[in-house]
Amino acid sequence: MRRSLLSPRSLPAPRRAIRLAPLALPLAMALALPAGLPVAAQAQPRPPARTQGQAAPAPQNMNRIVAVVNGDVVTQSEVASRARLFAMTTGLGASSDLITRLEPQIVRLVIDDRLRLQEMRRRRIVVSDEEVAAALSDIESRNNLPKGGLVAQLRAGGVDTRVLFDQIRVQIGWSRLIRQALGQQAEPTEAEVRERVESHEARVGQPEYQVSEIFVPVDDPARAGEVQRFVNDVVGRLRTGMPFPVAATQFSQSQTALQGGDLGWVRPEELEPEIARLVTQMPVGAISNAVRVPGGYRIIALRQKRETGRDIATLVTLRQAFLPFTSQLDPQNPTEQQRGQLEKAQRVTGGCDAVEAANRAAGNVRPADPGQVRQETLEPPQLRQLVASLSPGRASQPIVTPDGILVIAVCSRESRNLAQYTPEMAKAQILRERVELVSQQQQRNLRRQAQIDMRIQPSAARDG
């Protein structure tokens, strides 16, 4: 039996084991949560009402007023909670020097969220607790967390859960507000969609780029240097492992922050000239320096390149059964429970139905259906080779990881041109461009019209 646990199907894996698909969060919150944080299995999936948050004890100075925004008070406690949320989602320590340097931008983001919330209230845009709970559940599902797991991680990290709930609430409401502001422009005409599709078809074979962005505005030219120092800090952290979607969600003032900064596939002529020149020269996987553009700074991540209209991919639908260990595996000395889990995994035969049933029997610790995935992008390479070798309807041999055993079955496999540009895609792109423009205009107007009384200067600004 010990030899089986050391079989060639053993793959090194982090605590969340093998990731079968990139995370795709509609609100892009809580991406890439550190795997080592404890998750309370007993946490209940209650709707995140605003009164549910529990914060770590705060010193008396946490009640100090940092700013007054149109009569609403922003306290040091709110700023500190937002900083702790950022520290947790990026894996930084709460006492990190970077967090201290980022404090001016965190203050700015808290103020911007307060302005957006005030405008939502003025326009009577209400986001219910049920909507926030649904978004939170989606985040947990896409991050392979159990129900209530994200709230448990926040509380374990000393983060007031209302910080995340309110951030989600503002993102949902602001998106709704922008749709209202667009009016009839929220629905592109058939002629506009047709023209966009024809323009795309005329460029088949030309290069296009899959890009993510972080946009940080400069509202006051006198503070451009402070903003530049902030974005330079973020660039440095991104290059040392901070997940780009996390940074985009926390700091980007572009509407793409809702998708973790994802701009999708774009052509150079669709980008600002400064960005277009940069993107055409960047290698895939690179993070740009901060780029000064009209209105602020952008950080760009180049994820992929391809020719317009040509991207043949092998798409597979999978089922996975995960049989967890109750303790970390020592390959030289497996426990009885680990041996038992291996024996159960070895009895899984058949196809997707059998694997899904095995996952249910194991407690649905991880979702049985990871969604349709692109075979060429599966990681690690051993997993990609395994999936490629499986015939549809056949379960794999057990895959041993440090915290459990995985069995995979391929349900279907097909080749598809992912670069095919449909009218639905054209419509979505037109709407995204309009939403981005109106969102920036609305935020600038709110800042311009607001009465903001700064009572305490953030530490980084004082020190700078």
Side-chain angles (χ1 to χ4, degrees):
M1 183 64 63
R2 187 175 299 173
R3 188 174 180 182
S4 297
L5 288 173
L6 290 171
S7 70
R9 291 298 186 201
S10 297
L11 300 178
R15 187 166 188 258
R16 276 186 279 168
I18 298 168
R19 203 187 271 180
L20 293 178
L23 299 173
L25 308 186
L27 292 171
M29 294 295 300
L31 282 163
L33 290 170
L37 289 174
V39 176
Q42 70 273 20
Q44 297 299 313
R46 301 288 298 165
R50 302 166 78 93
T51 58
Q52 283 185 319
Q54 294 182 357
Q60 289 185 349
N61 64 6
M62 289 292 100
N63 293 323
R64 290 189 303 172
I65 297 174
V66 174
V68 180
V69 183
N70 292 330
D72 283 357
V73 169
V74 174
T75 67
Q76 184 66 39
S77 176
E78 294 175 80
V79 175
S81 292
R82 185 70 170 259
R84 282 195 294 271
L85 176 63
F86 176 73
M88 194 192 79
T89 55
T90 57
L92 293 172
S95 61
S96 167
D97 289 341
L98 178 59
I99 294 299
T100 301
R101 294 199 300 273
L102 296 186
E103 187 179 336
Q105 191 65 19
I106 292 172
V107 170
R108 185 190 188 286
L109 291 173
V110 172
I111 290 173
D112 282 346
D113 276 0
R114 186 62 56 86
L115 290 171
R116 291 184 177 193
L117 184 61
Q118 290 171 348
E119 185 66 7
M120 287 161 52
R121 289 171 177 164
R122 189 181 73 81
R123 300 194 188 198
R124 298 181 180 178
I125 295 173
V126 178
V127 179
S128 68
D129 286 344
E130 290 73 21
E131 290 176 286
V132 176
L136 188 68
S137 178
D138 185 59
I139 292 168
E140 290 175 330
S141 174
R142 292 174 183 270
N143 282 277
N144 289 335
L145 289 172
K147 288 186 180 299
L150 180 54
V151 170
Q153 289 195 358
L154 292 174
R155 289 172 175 165
V159 177
D160 187 337
T161 54
R162 289 174 298 180
V163 176
L164 177 61
F165 301 156
D166 289 347
Q167 199 170 346
I168 294 174
R169 194 183 305 273
V170 169
Q171 287 183 335
I172 295 173
W174 185 252
S175 180
R176 196 171 295 165
L177 182 151
I178 296 303
R179 292 296 186 102
Q180 289 183 5
L182 280 169
Q184 294 183 347
Q185 290 293 305
E187 188 66 28
T189 66
E190 290 185 7
E192 290 171 327
V193 171
R194 185 170 56 253
E195 181 181 357
R196 184 65 65 95
V197 170
E198 291 172 352
S199 174
H200 188 274
E201 290 175 347
R203 292 177 172 83
V204 169
Q206 297 180 12
E208 60 181 5
Y209 306 86
Q210 192 177 34
V211 172
S212 294
E213 66 162 356
I214 294 172
F215 175 71
V216 181
V218 176
D219 296 319
D220 181 358
R223 306 192 72 172
E226 174 188 317
V227 175
Q228 185 174 16
R229 287 192 295 274
F230 160 72
V231 292
N232 287 341
D233 274 336
V234 174
V235 168
R237 190 66 191 180
L238 288 167
R239 289 174 176 169
T240 57
M242 180 195 294
F244 197 98
V246 171
T249 298
Q250 294 292 336
F251 291 120
S252 180
Q253 292 297 291
S254 167
Q255 277 299 104
T256 58
L258 300 178
Q259 291 79 40
D262 182 18
L263 268 174
W265 288 99
V266 295
R267 300 186 302 276
E269 59 267 25
E270 296 172 324
L271 300 168
E272 293 153 316
E274 303 90 339
I275 303 300
R277 285 193 296 270
L278 186 64
V279 164
T280 57
Q281 299 171 13
M282 290 173 63
V284 171
I287 305 292
S288 76
N289 292 329
V291 182
R292 191 70 158 96
V293 296
Y297 288 91
R298 288 196 198 279
I299 304 169
I300 297 296
L302 179 60
R303 290 150 52 202
Q304 289 291 337
K305 298 179 182 179
R306 71 182 183 189
E307 293 182 349
T308 300
R310 299 171 184 167
D311 186 14
I312 306 302
T314 300
L315 301 179
V316 292
T317 55
L318 305 171
R319 292 296 183 272
Q320 61 177 350
F322 183 73
L323 288 68
F325 295 149
T326 54
S327 60
Q328 195 79 355
L329 172 66
D330 176 359
Q332 302 302 324
N333 189 27
T335 66
E336 288 300 321
Q337 188 267 347
Q338 291 165 350
R339 292 190 180 100
Q341 293 293 65
L342 179 60
E343 291 173 357
K344 291 178 184 177
Q346 289 171 332
R347 290 196 294 268
V348 178
T349 58
C352 292
D353 290 344
V355 171
E356 196 163 355
N359 197 61
R360 281 196 303 272
N364 285 319
V365 177
R366 294 185 184 146
D369 182 3
Q372 192 175 58
V373 297
R374 184 169 182 167
Q375 185 172 290
E376 297 87 352
T377 62
L378 286 171
E379 294 293 342
Q382 300 99 311
L383 176 63
R384 182 165 61 248
Q385 294 164 8
L386 172 63
V387 170
S389 69
L390 285 176
S391 301
R394 176 186 165 203
S396 71
Q397 292 295 313
I399 304 167
V400 180
T401 76
D403 56 351
I405 298 178
L406 194 67
V407 179
I408 297 173
V410 174
C411 309
S412 66
R413 180 183 284 114
E414 64 172 320
S415 293
R416 187 186 304 171
N417 183 3
L418 298 184
Q420 184 177 3
Y421 196 66
T422 65
E424 291 75 20
M425 294 170 65
K427 185 176 180 179
Q429 186 178 23
I430 294 170
L431 180 58
R432 185 185 68 202
E433 293 167 358
R434 292 175 180 175
V435 164
E436 179 61 32
L437 179 62
V438 172
S439 178
Q440 290 190 24
Q441 291 172 341
Q442 291 282 338
Q443 189 69 50
R444 281 197 300 268
N445 289 341
L446 291 180
R447 271 269 174 181
R448 191 177 300 118
Q449 297 166 7
Q451 293 184 351
I452 302 174
D453 179 13
M454 296 298 300
R455 299 292 180 85
I456 299 175
Q457 289 298 320
S459 58
R462 294 194 304 267
D463 297 341

